[in-house]
Amino acid sequence: MTGALSRVLRATACAIFIGTLTAGAANATEGYFQEGVSPREKATGGAGVADPRDALTIANNPAGLVDVGTQANLDLTVFSPDRWYNATGTALVAPGTYKSTGDAFFIPTMAFSRQIDGESAWGIAIYGNGGMNSAYNAANAGPACPAGSFGVFCNGKAGVDLNQAFMSAGYAKRVGAFSFGVAPIVAIQMFRAYGLGAFGAFGLSSNPAELSGNGTAWSVGGGLRAGVEWHATPTLRFGVAGATPIWSTSFEKYSGLFANQGQFDIPGTITVGTSYDILPMLTLLLDYKHIFYSGVPAISNSPNFNGILFGAAGGPGFGWRDVDVVSFGAEWRATQDLILRAGYSHNTNPISSADVTMNILAPGVITDHVSAGASYKVLPNASLEFAAVYAPRQDVGGPEVTPFGATPGSNINIWMSQFEITAGLTYYFDTPTNPVVVSKY
């Protein structure tokens, strides 16, 4: 690699990382994780742990680095979520129907892989892991709020903004029919919350001064992703990959909101999958993923108070359950220049009807994604990548729950739908070891 190109890549990586972290991501797909990272993975429903084709395999299964050759990926996603809530018969939550503001978010991603020899490779990647965003302008307030107040929770405009950016460097080695990979991860998180001050006024926070409206808080953490890929036959492959939790520093500015004085780790995951070349030009992909939200008290603890204050040890969270995801994708290599893709995924809902009150702020209720995409070679060593993902509306409803219990006759309904498009460029510095076989028809 030339010195000039190396400098360009370093400058691009820095810009991408800043853009990823400050994108205001509102990803609430598989809980709050992205359905996929690369355009190919997004287009195939998030599947691909057993069939790497791009350098962003480091964010899915780093063992795949030995299959993709030396290449660079640069992508941009435009993500558009639609978040709403409707409340009737409530005491503290503002009654009515309200839409969260903020309808478009830009999420850049980059990756680079380099072949060391025929049996080993390394790579780097910068990408957004996920996030949450909501911002409600409620014109009135619940009848139990102080006179003259307004907003979802009696304290004006209310919402949260969570962004997570990952930086990862990986190494992979092939041993016979097996490939092994490991990729340490450094994560940086940004978070802010506002409009929640009434929780402190009502005596519900262990530290009201560090509860709401304190601007942006930062957190840094680290973890590890590892994976294995097995080429069982020339047409059948299996993959397994997992990530440890990202153990992170606390959000000190919000130590009166998140359980355990602001602790907010990033959940671990495990993925297993297979890919099968049903025809030389047609590959089918099937993945299963489990996200361990239960390992993070700030996310999984019940939000329904139970006498424990916000921010305290074992304090309230959002009540999220672990999420299971099944993804199916197909890739058809139509010509030497054109590849077409499609996919579908279904995941369980992390939010129960008993926990909707706090999850007005984090309505991660999406359960289905339909996707499609394409890759078109514009130069002998460069391809344009495209993907589009649609997540139809999903609702969860239940009673308002306050420190005094469920409000009789109340109902809160939260819902979301999503659409996103991704465009990217892949540049090949050499020919990958996973050659493209195309249709002859």
Side-chain angles (χ1 to χ4, degrees):
M1 188 186 304
T2 67
L5 180 58
S6 177
R7 288 192 295 273
V8 169
L9 285 174
R10 287 198 298 269
T12 301
C14 182
I16 291 296
F17 175 70
I18 294 172
T20 299
L21 190 56
T22 60
N27 304 329
T29 50
E30 298 168 355
Y32 73 79
F33 281 21
Q34 290 197 73
E35 181 209 25
V37 177
S38 71
R40 181 187 188 246
E41 192 181 355
K42 290 177 181 291
T44 57
V49 73
D51 193 60
R53 300 281 176 171
D54 53 59
L56 277 163
T57 186
I58 195 173
N60 188 12
N61 186 353
L65 285 169
V66 293
D67 293 325
V68 301
T70 300
Q71 62 169 277
N73 310 135
L74 183 62
D75 312 311
L76 180 66
T77 293
V78 182
F79 180 77
S80 180
D82 212 14
R83 294 95 71 214
W84 295 77
Y85 90 85
N86 170 267
T88 58
T90 50
L92 294 176
V93 173
T97 300
Y98 296 97
K99 182 181 187 295
S100 174
T101 60
D103 295 328
F105 302 86
F106 298 88
I107 309 167
T109 300
M110 74 156 292
F112 173 77
S113 63
R114 185 176 182 86
Q115 204 76 23
I116 299 172
D117 52 41
E119 306 300 326
S120 60
W122 65 271
I124 58 172
I126 299 173
Y127 56 98
N129 177 65
M132 295 184 289
N133 175 279
S134 60
Y136 295 96
N137 291 303
N140 58 358
C145 292
S149 62
F150 69 97
V152 177
F153 296 110
C154 316
N155 192 224
K157 183 178 180 179
V160 298
D161 196 5
L162 171 69
N163 300 310
Q164 297 175 339
F166 279 12
M167 297 180 291
S168 186
Y171 172 80
K173 176 74 174 179
R174 180 184 290 112
V175 180
F178 291 87
S179 301
F180 303 89
V182 61
I185 302 168
V186 174
I188 297 182
Q189 302 184 82
M190 295 171 55
F191 177 79
R192 66 188 181 109
Y194 46 91
L196 310 180
F199 292 172
F202 292 148
L204 304 178
S205 173
S206 62
N207 186 357
E210 307 295 343
L211 169 68
S212 177
N214 291 331
T216 299
W218 296 77
S219 172
V220 179
L224 184 71
R225 184 181 301 277
V228 59
E229 183 187 1
W230 176 35
H231 286 248
T233 73
T235 59
L236 179 64
R237 297 164 292 278
F238 297 92
V240 179
T244 68
I246 307 297
W247 295 285
S248 304
T249 59
S250 298
F251 287 123
E252 294 183 0
K253 291 184 178 180
Y254 294 95
S255 60
L257 174 62
F258 290 130
N260 303 332
Q261 293 77 51
Q263 179 185 351
F264 200 96
D265 294 336
I266 300 173
T269 64
I270 187 166
T271 307
V272 298
T274 185
S275 68
Y276 179 59
D277 300 329
I278 191 170
L279 294 172
M281 77 296 297
L282 178 62
T283 300
L284 302 182
L285 312 167
L286 179 65
D287 281 12
Y288 164 78
K289 177 163 61 176
H290 187 85
I291 306 174
F292 296 91
Y293 287 115
S294 60
V296 182
I299 300 173
S300 63
N301 284 2
S302 170
N304 296 331
F305 312 112
N306 299 321
I308 305 176
L309 300 180
F310 281 98
F318 288 87
W320 282 25
R321 302 165 294 193
D322 287 357
V323 165
D324 295 298
V325 188
V326 177
S327 304
F328 174 77
E331 180 176 83
W332 178 39
R333 295 168 287 279
T335 71
Q336 287 288 347
D337 296 331
L338 178 65
I339 301 173
L340 301 176
R341 303 174 179 124
Y344 167 77
S345 70
H346 175 79
N347 58 267
T348 56
N349 195 324
I351 300 171
S352 72
S353 60
D355 298 325
V356 295
T357 305
M358 275 298 292
N359 281 291
I360 290 172
L361 299 171
V365 296
I366 290 296
T367 58
D368 296 280
H369 303 82
V370 180
S371 56
S375 174
Y376 186 75
K377 186 177 290 186
V378 292
L379 294 170
N381 282 65
S383 296
L384 294 178
E385 311 284 341
F386 303 96
V389 182
Y390 173 65
R393 170 174 163 167
Q394 180 69 30
D395 301 59
V396 174
E400 177 190 55
V401 179
T402 74
F404 311 103
T407 303
S410 65
N411 185 73
I412 298 173
N413 196 49
I414 57 176
W415 68 91
M416 176 184 282
S417 62
Q418 300 170 352
F419 178 74
E420 69 174 59
I421 56 173
T422 300
L425 174 68
T426 297
Y427 185 84
Y428 303 95
F429 295 87
D430 59 13
T431 301
T433 59
N434 220 342
V436 173
V437 178
V438 302
S439 173
K440 298 180 181 179
Y441 304 101

